[in-house]
């Protein structure tokens, strides 16, 4: 099985949550940052009593509504991303990131509920940790 950016973000989320700085070496790192910030935002929507079905519903709704792109002023690290050219390019990026968020939700829910008994405390304990001290709103 091959690994992609979402798998890498899920694998590196917990150790990266402790980072205060992150050196960006390319576009892949920018995507990794975006996904890590989204995972953090997603975990904050979950509670110890949230069932897997509820989590899927809540996080899917989060994934498809109010998709913030790095060019938006409300994005926490917008200065680290290049600006978007025009409206069409902005819409294309928003669609791409929405797909990334939807796929991230599927894999995150599978990881957080891997034991089938409820959300893993080893994932939920990272709700208070924020990558580079930033939160995606």
């Amino acid at each position: 099985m091959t690994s992609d950016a979402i798998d890498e973000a899920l694998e590196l989320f917990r150790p990266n949550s402790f980072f205060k700085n992150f050196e960006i070496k390319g576009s892949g790192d920018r995507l990794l940052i975006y996904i890590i910030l989204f995972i953090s935002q997603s975990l904050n929507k979950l509670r110890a009593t949230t069932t897997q079905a509820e989590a899927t519903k809540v996080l899917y709704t989060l994934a498809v509504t109010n998709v913030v792109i790095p060019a938006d002023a409300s994005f926490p690290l917008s200065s680290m991303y290049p600006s978007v050219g025009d409206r069409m390019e902005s819409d294309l990026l928003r669609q791409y990131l929405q797909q990334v968020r939807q796929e991230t939700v599927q894999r995150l829910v599978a990881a957080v509920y891997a034991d089938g008994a409820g959300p893993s405390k080893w994932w939920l304990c990272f709700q208070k940790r924020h990558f580079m001290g930033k939160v995606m709103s």
Side-chain angles (χ1 to χ4, degrees):
M1 184 172 129
T2 59
S3 180
D4 62 9
I6 296 171
D7 291 331
E8 185 177 350
L10 287 168
E11 182 181 324
L12 297 175
F13 172 75
R14 291 179 277 188
N16 282 351
S17 294
F18 295 101
F19 285 16
K20 297 291 180 207
N21 301 321
F22 188 84
E23 181 181 352
I24 296 176
K25 296 181 180 176
S27 298
D29 289 336
R30 287 184 178 91
L31 180 59
L32 181 68
I33 289 170
Y34 186 92
I35 297 170
I36 287 173
L37 289 172
F38 178 69
I39 291 170
S40 180
Q41 182 185 25
S42 297
L43 288 176
N44 283 318
K45 299 287 184 187
L46 302 179
R47 301 289 167 252
T49 57
T50 307
T51 66
Q52 186 171 356
E54 291 169 338
T56 301
K57 183 179 177 182
V58 167
L59 297 184
Y60 182 79
T61 301
L62 176 66
V64 297
T65 57
N66 195 23
V67 178
V68 177
I69 63 172
D72 293 342
S74 61
F75 187 75
L77 298 169
S78 60
S79 63
M80 299 176 84
Y81 289 79
S83 61
V84 178
D86 60 4
R87 174 86 175 164
M88 194 166 113
E89 190 175 323
S90 174
D91 288 343
L92 187 61
L93 178 59
R94 195 172 311 278
Q95 289 173 357
Y96 172 74
L97 290 176
Q98 184 176 14
Q99 288 176 334
V100 167
R101 289 163 62 119
Q102 290 170 329
E103 185 63 29
T104 300
V105 163
Q106 287 182 333
R107 296 184 200 181
L108 178 62
V109 168
V112 171
Y113 290 86
D115 64 3
S120 167
K121 66 180 181 181
W122 302 114
W123 277 96
L124 294 185
C125 70
F126 283 88
Q127 288 176 319
K128 295 177 180 84
R129 304 269 342 152
H130 302 295
F131 178 68
M132 295 177 58
K134 304 293 182 184
V135 179
M136 192 178 338
S137 54

